[in-house]
Each structure stands twice: as structure tokens, then as C-alpha cells.
Amino acid sequence: MQVGLHSAQARRRMWFAVCAVALAALAAILRFWWQDSATAGVLLTALGAFMSVAALMADVLRGDATPRPDGDGAHRRRAVEALAEAVREQWAAEARLRRLQDPAPLEVEWSLADRRLADHPYNIPPGPVLPRPRAAGGTPGSVDPAAQDPAAPEPVTAPPDRRVVVLGEPGSGKSVLAMRYVLDRLAARQDGGPVPVIFPLASWDPLRTPLRDWLTARLAADYRPLAAQADDRRTLARVLVDTGLVAPVLDGFDELPRPARATAVRRINAELDPGAPLLLTSRGDAWAAAVDEGDVLTGAEVVELRPLDLVRAGAHLERSARPLGVTADGVPHTVWTPVLRKLAERPDLPLAEVLTTPLMVALARTVYGDTSRDPAPLLDPRRFPTVAAVEGHLLEAFVPAAFADAGPTAAGEATRRLTVLARGLHRRGTGRLAWWELESLVPRTLALYAPGLLALAVLSLFLLPVTLARAVDDLAGLEDVLSLVALLVGQTLGFAFGVRYLLPSGRRGRRGTQEPDRGFRRRQALITIGVSALMWAGYAYFDDLRFGFRFGGVTDGWMPDLLGGFLFSQLFTLFLGIAGLTRRPTPLGLPWSGVMSRVAARLGGAVLAAAGTVTAGVALLGREGNPWTVLLGTTCAGAGTALMESGTSRGGGQDGAHTPRAGRIARRFVTGAVRGTAVAMLIGVASCTAGGFAAVGVTALKSRTAVDLKDREIDGWYFSERAGVRSAVTERTLRGGLLLPGDGARPVAFAGTTRPPNCTMPLLPRRRCVDFVSRRTVFESRHGAVVALITPGAGPRTTAVHPTNLRSVLPGAGRDWLTQGPAAGVVTRDLPPVLVAGLLIGVVGGCVCGVYRALSVPSDLMRAASPGLSLRTDRTASLTRGGMVALLVALVCVPVVATPGDWGGLVHLGTQLWLPLGTAALALSAWGRFLVARSWLAATGQLPWRLMAFLDEAHQRGVLRQSGAGFEFRHLRLQAQLATGPTANVVAARSPESRSVPDTPDTPDTPDMDEGFDIHHHTP
């Protein structure tokens, strides 16, 4: 077989080699032939970024070489088959962990419930209610498997297509019956048929939420690929629900609030097709009350699970325990043998009733499964006088027994850590914990302020190469430590405010989408405008803007720095809020679909990483290392590495049911950029206009009155006025730094030891800073507009400079007198830079929105082998998006940085946006929130640093169960035991009368998720 260059793989390898050689050659040429190494580094990085984007865009516009089916029908079929496979993998794994077939299933019989609880017999379809029971395995009196006919056909176990309500007490086996029901239906399912999915009813509010909307939201939350848009109105989850491709298994009806149960039954009858299969589980008293107050479930038969037979439960415990020896007749002897013999003689003991519940049999099997512990003390009526006492003991001893072989201290540590999780879930009123919800376990104040602190920490990490290049002072415009601290505090407060008020909540709309509504956009705009006006007014009050406003200027005291930091960080959360990032972020993946897209991602990432590494290395090792070149190269290297990882790792991209079609990524970027630019520019211009006029108003009020200083001398300054020109002159020596923007622009002077920011910039070779010593300094003012003249040389020649950063050398009365003038002059000096910043906000916000729209798809949790895989997927995607946001914003800011003459200090504004935006995007992602929560819980000793490994171990030991990419306790009674301790209202004593269906309930409901036993059904 001859492949040659006609092979796609060979062409990709050749293209990669040519790119690598060309990039290396270009790096050498630019390094040794270009006079400005900083400019050469930026050009090299830009070329690498262009090649990466070009490769990705070419791939997505052309599409995969493998033909893909088109049409909504094919899209829906892929989604439903992916869902079926995910549900099968999830519950098959749980069945193995619960040891349902080890050594043999434990039978739980059922019978028809009170006819008052079911529909009219004429409305119930004829036929079997549930599958016929399998052969009884190993109970006394059962048939010997060897004596059975091997040619006899296996009994049909596929549940019939009908509605069934299963009643039972907590721990009686309802949830395991639901799990087996799902697996049996999946085993008999044909391609394209409906998929049974278990929905815990505890999270549904029937009084407010329609059933179909809730089913859609749960599907999208538990199986994230179904959150993708199927069309302009509906998600994939909604499509599957509307087309009947989801067969609901509603588990835990009794966990609904009592006032909502009757409404829930009515909604089920009204919103689900009567002929569609449905299984609902509940406690008997809760269902009876709902029927009395509302209605029966149309067309549904109602069955009730019976208590376990003590002989059958004892046989199961004997078979699962480790033998201690063999009796004379060859029967194995275990720790349970004398206990069961005693119970046969004394069936009135509390332990006898405890062992009639499958949950308690499972706990007893784990706690006394080996020879190290003896269950005989459970027979002592003084230590365990009631059923509740025995149950509490088994619940309390379960976790230590599950971790008994992990080490001498492992059991205690595991119990303590699981107690922390149980209490957190108890406070939230839920039984499920996903890794991206771990933030709920940290204090609210920390959860609010932590994203800003994390963004600053990551930003400091990126500044490390600048420190190595000995160029930190070139980036910082604040020399005063107090001002720097105030700036950081302001940024943290601004982040917290933005997270609380400028990010959407993440709640889904009526069609299951998470798009913010117009009401939120209006609130977002009003809040931003109001806060901007307030902050700018405060800034103008504490600072002196009468000399004019420039970004990156010297302020009067620390308060303006705090307010400026607040405004700055508020912008970041505004951009990300417009892009769709929520206060409760969920895992997101990258839209690479197919082999070709992954190859393009790897190729683009390799080129970008190589360009960034070369650029940063040249800047660090060269004599003229520029800090911005180092930062740009480092960011490119990081983004390129993450992009390569996303194309290499199976979890980085998406091969699920919602993979984008050819060209859709590019269209999503354009659509997101256009919409984001429109919204961000509207909000940005409006808020900057409001803030600018607020600042102008405060400044104008400060310029109205002043003491007349004509022909007076104060502190070495002589004040005079000639022909309408006011002046202040001093012969004292003035030292400072001078920023020369180049292109004939007026220099910017800084007094004292304050160093001008951004003295050298890539693409601006004429920009530089020099020190000056002025023998004579003059301030001249006409109608409040001030110009400063310094005499840096020995001759009489003066240099006109911006007076904004030199005002500190003047006495306070002199400032008032020189800047006294009409309000129109204040508007001219202060408002234009603020309004231009509003336009820049719009463009930058559009870029951020475009990147998030193009590179964000729901994480493929349906096929996640473990929660750890979904965590790694989101981490890779978050790093990639953060890097791309930073690079694209840097590209947008290039024209701002290259503005001739550094008008209004916009160069400083442009350099301060791109990198903090990338770190902000990272800090506000699901992985960033998890990192904060994980660090806090580990630092306070509540949970281990290797949290996911601990949760996975607890899952493997049967303490937790996996639900999608989250974890739940094996039973909510175990969670309640760990959270609140063995109290009477948690572990309720049972009586024989409680097993029948009462006319009216008299006890609060206990959440029920039943324990690990296979359920065999015996018809009456």
C-alpha cells in the first residue's frame, strides 16, 4: 500500500515540520538582524498566534474528513444513544460496587398495595406488573441449581411498558429496585428507544416548576452534553423529554414537601404521556396522603415491598461472612451462626426486626463481615434495648468498618472527613456533591472574595519571569507601599462586588437555557452605571483632577488607588458576565470534534507554545529584555501548552452527542463577538459617561473658589498674573523622571523618586524614560488649563511637560488658584480619556464574549469515567480559554498601545487589561472555584489536599456512590447519621404496624435511597 504525501497524516507531519523549521529560522533572523529585540519578540509571538488561529480556523471551516450525518434526527439519535450508554455504565458500575451478585442476590418480595392507592382496574393495562422473580439463590428450601434443566430458557426480566408505583419504608429496597429496573430496561432496549433515567425527586418544586422543565434541568445538570443547544429555542435535554425518548424513574416521592405532593401527582398526570413507561418510588404514608389530598397516578398499579424474612436474611449473612470452621455435618460456621440461632429462639429481640430491612442487612454484612468483630453484643437488651439503638450502632460503625484495612488511623480520619461532607450537604438540604459545588463548604465571605484573590495570585505568578528579567519597576506605576496595598484591596473588593451583582445566577430558563434575560441585562447596566458614577465621584473627591486626567498617573493618597482598583476589577467581572460566565459555574469543555480538530489543536498549540517560549527566552537572555515581551511570551507558552493538552487528552475535547458542525466554531465566535461588543460598548460608554460627568462635576465644584495669590510668595513659589495668564515660579531644584512617548508628543514628568510606568514598550522603539534636574520650574495657567515648564539643562531652554504628575510640588492654595476656571475647561481636560475608555471596554468585552462563545461547550460528563476526568477536562479548558482571552485582548490593545503621543495615558490602560483578564477568566471558572475551596478545606484540616482521590476511595469502599460527575452517600440515613448523630428523629424505631399503609401520616418523612441488594419480586 503506497501512501506518500496523499495521506492526511503525512501531510500534517510535513506541515508541522515545515512550521517548526520556519519558526526557528525566523526567530534567528529576528534575533540577530532586528535592532529592536522587543519588537522582534512581539512579531514572532504574533506570527505564532496567527499560525495557530489559522490552523484551527482552516480545520473548523473545512470540517472533518469523515462524513457526518446531518439533520435534527441524526443529532437526536446520537444524543439518545450516548445517554443510554452513560446511564448503563453508571448503574452497572454501582451494581458491581454494591456487590449485588456477591455471592447471590437477596430476594425482596412484593404484593399489591391497598386498591385505594391505585387507579381503577379498567384503566390499568393487563399483564405482569414487574418482572417474574429469578430462582432463589441459596436460601433454605431452594432448588439446587445443579438439578435445574440447563436447557430451560432464562426468565424474561425486561420490565413491561407500564406505570408502576413502588411503596416501602426507608431501607426496604426501593431505590435498588429502581436501579435494577433501569438496567433491565436498558438490556432489553432497542436502538432509538426511550432511555430510563433515575430522577431523585427531592430537588423538584412542583408548586413552581413544571415537571418537564425540571426533568430538562436535571438532565442538563447530570449529563452535561445535553445542555447544548439543539436549536434556537431548546436544548438537547428538552428535545429528548419532549419527544418521549426519556423514560423517567422518579425516586423518592416522599422527599417532596407534604403540601406539594398532591400537586406533583397532578403534574405527572398532566405532563407525561399515559402510555409511556414510568416507575415511581415512595414511602407508603406519603403516597397515601397524596392520594387522599389529590389524585391517583393514572393507569398505574401500586405495589408494596414486604419485609425480609429473617431466615433469608440470616442465610445471606452466613454466606457472605468469612467461615470460622466447619461443623460435623460439613456446614460452615461463622460469627453469625450463634447469633442467628439465638434470634430463631427469641424473635422478639430488636436485632430480629432490624434484619428485616435490606439496608440494615447490608450494614451488618460490612461491619461484621470478617472475624475481627463479633455481632453477639447486638443481642444484649441492656446495650441495645430498641430497634433504633441497633440501627444507630450499625450506621455509626459502617464507615470505620469500610476503612478498617486502610491503616491504623485511616478509619478515624475517613469518618471525620466524611462528617464534614455530610454536614455540608445537610446544611444545603441535598444529598449530592459535585466537585464544582465544593465552594458551598467554605465560608460565604471567603467564597465571595476568593476569586479576586486567586486572580491576583495567578497574576503574580505570571509576573515571576518579569522579576527574573529585573524589570518589575518598569511595570509598576506605584512606589508607595500603602497605595499598592490599597490598589490590591480595591481590586479584591471590586471582584467580590462584580461576582455578586454582575454575574448571572446560572439558573435555567423555561426552555432549559442559561441565557441571561433582558431584565438581568438591564440590572447589569444600571448597577454598572450607578457604581461607576459613585466611584468616579469619590475618585475626583479624594484626588485632584483639576490639572487633567491621565491613566497611570500619580494620585493624592491611597483612597483614589482603592477606588481605581475597584473600578478596574469590576470591569473584568462585567466582561465575563456578558460572556455568560455565572456565579455558579459548571464544567465546560472545548469544542474539538473528531481527529482532525484534535490534530489542529495540537498543531496550533505547539506553534504557539514554541513561539512564546522563544520570545520569552530571547527577552530573558538578551541584554534588552523587555518585561512586556517576557509576559507576552509566557502567556503564549502557557496557552499553547493548554491547547496542545486539549487536543491530546481524551477529556479535553468533545466527542459526545453535541459536537459542533463544520464552521460552527467560527460562526459562534463572530456571533459572540458582535453581540458582546454591542452589549459591552453600550454599558461601557454609558457607565464611563456617567462616571466621567460625575468626576467632572466634583472637580468643577472644587475649582469654583480660590484665594487670590497674585504677586504673593508661598513656600518658595512666586505667583503672578499677566494678561490673563497666571503663573507660579520657583528657583528651587526639582528632580524627577521624564517619560518621552516619542513622535513629538509632550513629555510626562514625575516628581521625586516616582518612576514613570511602561518606560519601554514593544512596537514603540522611541519610547523611553530619562531622569531630569530642573533648575527653574514654571506653572502657567489660562482659564484653569495648566502647563508645566521645566529647565533641565544649563541653558535657558525650557521643556513643556504635562503638569498632572507634578502638582504635588505646589502648595494647596497654589493648586486652587492656578486651576480656577470655568467648568467647560474641566470637561475638556478630564472627560475625553474616560469616554475613549468606554469604547475600549466595548471592544475588549466583545473579544471576551467571542472567545467564550466559541470555546465553551458543556463538559462531556455523560461519558466521564470518574469525576476526576471531568475536573481535568474543565481545568484544561479553563487554562486554554484564559490564555486565549489574554492573547486576543492583547491583540486588540495593540492599536491603543501604539497611539501616537500616549494620549490620555491610554498606553497604560491597554497594558493593564489583557493579562488580568486572562487570570480573572481562570479564577471565575469552575476549576478556579474548586481550587479555592480545595485549598481552604485542606489548609483548615477539614478535608485532604488529594480530595478527589479520597472521594474515589470512599466510593470504591461503598460509602459513597457516583452520580454522573458527583458523589452521594450510599444512603441518606448514613449521611444524616454522620451529620447529626444517632438521634431519634434520624433513626426512627419501626413497628410491625408501620409497615402497612396508614390512612394518615403521623411522622416526618425520612429521605430514602435504598441499599445494595438485588430485588427479586414475588407476585401474590
Side-chain angles (χ1 to χ4, degrees), residues 200 206 209 299 373 431 598 658 720 772 827 854-855 979 983:
T209 308
R373 305 188 68 178
R598 295 183 185 277
H658 66 285
S720 61
F772 74 88
V827 174
L855 300 183
T983 57

Side-chain angles (χ1 to χ4, degrees), residues 4 9 203 244 289 407 417 439 462 511 513 541 668 751 782 833 876:
Q9 184 178 8
S203 61
R417 293 165 178 173
E439 190 182 34
F462 268 90
R511 289 290 179 177
T513 63
Y541 178 81
R668 287 169 60 178
R782 184 184 296 273
T876 302

Side-chain angles (χ1 to χ4, degrees), residues 699-783:
T699 304
L701 291 176
K702 294 169 65 176
S703 304
R704 293 180 60 182
T705 58
V707 178
D708 187 9
L709 299 182
K710 181 179 179 181
D711 298 328
R712 292 180 58 182
E713 183 176 357
I714 302 177
D715 297 335
W717 288 88
Y718 179 74
F719 298 89
S720 61
E721 183 175 2
R722 302 289 185 273
V725 178
R726 297 181 178 183
S727 61
V729 182
T730 184
E731 301 293 336
R732 293 185 304 182
T733 300
L734 177 64
R735 302 176 183 273
L738 205 60
L739 172 62
L740 305 177
D743 299 322
R746 180 182 296 181
V748 182
F750 292 78
T753 59
T754 302
R755 184 175 176 81
N758 310 318
C759 289
T760 58
M761 292 292 299
L763 306 179
L764 298 177
R766 299 181 181 179
R767 183 183 178 94
R768 59 193 179 92
C769 292
V770 297
D771 295 331
F772 74 88
V773 179
S774 176
R775 296 177 295 101
R776 186 173 186 269
T777 304
V778 180
F779 285 86
E780 293 183 350
S781 168
R782 184 184 296 273
H783 304 300

Side-chain angles (χ1 to χ4, degrees), residues 359-525:
L359 168 62
M360 294 302 149
V361 175
L363 297 182
R365 172 183 177 178
T366 301
V367 173
Y368 300 101
D370 55 25
T371 59
S372 62
R373 305 188 68 178
D374 186 3
L378 297 176
L379 299 172
D380 187 354
R382 291 173 298 179
R383 292 184 56 185
F384 303 102
T386 63
V387 171
V390 179
E391 291 182 341
H393 169 74
L394 293 176
L395 288 167
E396 188 174 0
F398 174 68
V399 174
F403 284 85
D405 61 344
T409 61
E413 285 295 313
T415 303
R416 182 180 60 82
R417 293 165 178 173
L418 291 169
T419 299
V420 172
L421 291 177
R423 288 175 178 173
L425 295 177
H426 184 73
R427 287 193 299 268
R428 291 175 53 202
T430 182
R432 182 175 184 270
L433 177 67
W435 61 262
W436 60 91
E437 298 170 343
L438 194 68
E439 190 182 34
S440 62
L441 301 183
V442 304
R444 291 185 178 181
T445 303
L446 177 65
L448 188 62
Y449 290 99
L453 297 174
L454 178 61
L456 294 176
V458 177
L459 183 62
S460 302
L461 182 64
F462 268 90
L463 290 176
L464 182 61
V466 181
T467 304
L468 298 177
R470 301 181 304 277
V472 175
D473 289 340
D474 191 34
L475 287 176
L478 293 173
E479 294 292 331
D480 185 7
V481 175
L482 183 60
S483 295
L484 179 59
V485 172
L487 177 63
L488 297 178
V489 171
Q491 290 183 353
T492 304
L493 294 176
F495 241 109
F497 179 86
V499 168
R500 178 63 181 84
Y501 295 105
L502 299 182
L503 295 183
S505 64
R507 296 188 179 91
R508 296 186 172 272
R510 187 172 180 81
R511 289 290 179 177
T513 63
Q514 281 186 314
E515 291 294 326
D517 55 15
R518 293 182 179 179
F520 173 77
R521 291 297 186 207
R522 286 193 293 268
R523 291 193 300 271
Q524 194 180 45

Side-chain angles (χ1 to χ4, degrees), residues 204-572:
W204 181 30
D205 184 1
L207 300 178
R208 297 183 179 181
T209 308
L211 177 62
R212 285 180 178 266
D213 293 346
W214 175 74
L215 293 176
T216 299
R218 289 298 307 176
L219 275 177
D222 293 339
Y223 306 98
R224 287 294 297 165
L226 299 182
Q229 292 293 129
D231 50 41
D232 294 336
R233 300 182 301 109
R234 299 183 300 175
T235 62
L236 276 174
R238 185 72 189 203
V239 170
L240 297 187
V241 171
D242 289 345
T243 55
L245 291 176
V246 172
V249 178
L250 305 179
D251 189 23
F253 180 84
D254 51 280
E255 297 177 35
L256 293 173
R258 177 166 180 170
R261 292 170 185 165
T263 303
V265 176
R266 286 191 289 267
R267 284 194 180 275
I268 295 173
N269 287 331
E271 298 186 41
L272 296 183
D273 298 332
L278 171 68
L279 183 74
L280 184 146
T281 69
S282 175
R283 283 178 56 172
D285 53 1
W287 182 253
V291 171
D292 290 341
E293 298 171 5
D295 194 4
V296 297
L297 186 61
T298 304
E301 186 62 271
V302 181
V303 301
E304 184 178 9
L305 298 181
R306 296 177 178 176
L308 281 175
D309 180 78
L310 182 59
V311 175
R312 183 171 293 143
H316 184 83
L317 291 173
E318 288 266 41
R319 294 181 60 181
S320 60
R322 184 179 304 175
L324 297 176
V326 180
T327 61
D329 54 357
V331 178
H333 177 80
T334 70
V335 293
W336 285 103
T337 302
V339 175
L340 296 173
R341 187 180 301 115
K342 182 67 173 180
L343 291 177
E345 299 173 358
R346 293 283 307 279
D348 59 322
L349 290 175
L351 180 60
E353 185 165 346
V354 168
L355 295 182
T356 62
T357 304
L359 168 62
M360 294 302 149
V361 175
L363 297 182
R365 172 183 177 178
T366 301
V367 173
Y368 300 101
D370 55 25
T371 59
S372 62
R373 305 188 68 178
D374 186 3
L378 297 176
L379 299 172
D380 187 354
R382 291 173 298 179
R383 292 184 56 185
F384 303 102
T386 63
V387 171
V390 179
E391 291 182 341
H393 169 74
L394 293 176
L395 288 167
E396 188 174 0
F398 174 68
V399 174
F403 284 85
D405 61 344
T409 61
E413 285 295 313
T415 303
R416 182 180 60 82
R417 293 165 178 173
L418 291 169
T419 299
V420 172
L421 291 177
R423 288 175 178 173
L425 295 177
H426 184 73
R427 287 193 299 268
R428 291 175 53 202
T430 182
R432 182 175 184 270
L433 177 67
W435 61 262
W436 60 91
E437 298 170 343
L438 194 68
E439 190 182 34
S440 62
L441 301 183
V442 304
R444 291 185 178 181
T445 303
L446 177 65
L448 188 62
Y449 290 99
L453 297 174
L454 178 61
L456 294 176
V458 177
L459 183 62
S460 302
L461 182 64
F462 268 90
L463 290 176
L464 182 61
V466 181
T467 304
L468 298 177
R470 301 181 304 277
V472 175
D473 289 340
D474 191 34
L475 287 176
L478 293 173
E479 294 292 331
D480 185 7
V481 175
L482 183 60
S483 295
L484 179 59
V485 172
L487 177 63
L488 297 178
V489 171
Q491 290 183 353
T492 304
L493 294 176
F495 241 109
F497 179 86
V499 168
R500 178 63 181 84
Y501 295 105
L502 299 182
L503 295 183
S505 64
R507 296 188 179 91
R508 296 186 172 272
R510 187 172 180 81
R511 289 290 179 177
T513 63
Q514 281 186 314
E515 291 294 326
D517 55 15
R518 293 182 179 179
F520 173 77
R521 291 297 186 207
R522 286 193 293 268
R523 291 193 300 271
Q524 194 180 45
L526 292 176
I527 290 173
T528 305
I529 293 171
V531 172
S532 296
L534 183 62
M535 292 295 106
W536 274 106
Y539 190 96
Y541 178 81
F542 290 104
D543 201 12
D544 193 348
L545 303 183
R546 293 173 295 181
F547 288 80
F549 175 74
R550 285 179 58 85
F551 289 101
V554 179
T555 58
D556 292 340
W558 57 269
M559 193 64 181
D561 295 313
L562 187 146
L563 297 176
F566 187 99
L567 280 170
F568 200 58
S569 293
Q570 181 191 242
L571 282 180
F572 301 154

